[in-house]
Amino acid sequence: SSGINAEYGSLPRRQNETKNDAIQELSEKFDGLRDSIESERQVFSLQLKKYDDERKHSHEVKDKLTEEVVRLREVWADSQEQEAMWETKYNEMLAISSHREQEIF
């Protein structure tokens, strides 16, 4: 009787140890998976922030460029007006000088 108990009494204990080992192994795998997911989440979060910063920056650049285009169009329009004004003055001076030449000769 005692020999049988010694042989079979350890069976449940061995099954328990195997179960505990399996649970421990799964727990470690789960921890590893969780750490991996957390690290991926942090990388993704940083990439998202970087993308968002770049997007904001590109909008700022676009806005600045749009303002510059508007300013340059105004400068262009002013220069066209200036050119027309100087051309008119030049033509008037030419007409006056031509008129004076005719008076002289």
Side-chain angles (χ1 to χ4, degrees), residues 89-101:
K89 284 189 179 186
Y90 174 76
N91 289 335
E92 287 172 0
M93 296 299 281
L94 212 54
I96 290 170
S97 122
S98 170
H99 183 69
R100 284 199 182 141
E101 275 180 32

Side-chain angles (χ1 to χ4, degrees), residues 5-6 21-22 30 35 37 41-42 50 55 66-67 75 78 81 87-88 90 94 98 104-105:
N5 274 346
D21 287 349
F30 178 76
D35 291 348
I37 288 170
R41 192 193 65 74
Q42 287 175 354
K50 183 180 171 198
R55 189 181 55 79
T66 301
E67 288 172 15
V75 167
D78 287 349
E81 287 174 24
E87 197 172 330
T88 303
Y90 174 76
L94 212 54
S98 170
I104 294 172
F105 295 109

Side-chain angles (χ1 to χ4, degrees):
S1 166
S2 70
I4 292 172
N5 274 346
E7 198 175 319
Y8 291 104
S10 65
L11 190 61
R13 186 179 303 132
R14 252 186 273 135
Q15 285 177 334
N16 231 7
E17 284 173 9
T18 304
K19 227 186 270 179
N20 286 343
D21 287 349
I23 288 171
Q24 180 65 34
E25 191 180 326
L26 282 174
S27 178
E28 287 170 5
K29 283 183 180 175
F30 178 76
D31 287 346
L33 194 57
R34 189 181 56 218
D35 291 348
S36 175
I37 288 170
E38 177 59 23
S39 127
E40 287 291 325
R41 192 193 65 74
Q42 287 175 354
V43 167
F44 177 74
S45 181
L46 286 172
Q47 287 174 334
L48 196 61
K49 186 188 179 324
K50 183 180 171 198
Y51 167 77
D52 199 44
D53 290 348
E54 287 173 357
R55 189 181 55 79
K56 284 178 187 165
H57 178 70
S58 71
H59 280 299
E60 289 169 7
V61 168
K62 180 179 166 256
D63 291 347
K64 285 179 184 170
L65 286 174
T66 301
E67 288 172 15
E68 186 64 8
V69 165
V70 167
R71 189 187 72 76
L72 288 173
R73 283 186 178 146
E74 290 170 356
V75 167
W76 172 253
D78 287 349
S79 72
Q80 293 296 94
E81 287 174 24
Q82 287 286 332
E83 188 178 341
M85 188 182 74
W86 284 112
E87 197 172 330
T88 303
K89 284 189 179 186
Y90 174 76
N91 289 335
E92 287 172 0
M93 296 299 281
L94 212 54
I96 290 170
S97 122
S98 170
H99 183 69
R100 284 199 182 141
E101 275 180 32
Q102 287 172 359
E103 283 180 353
I104 294 172
F105 295 109

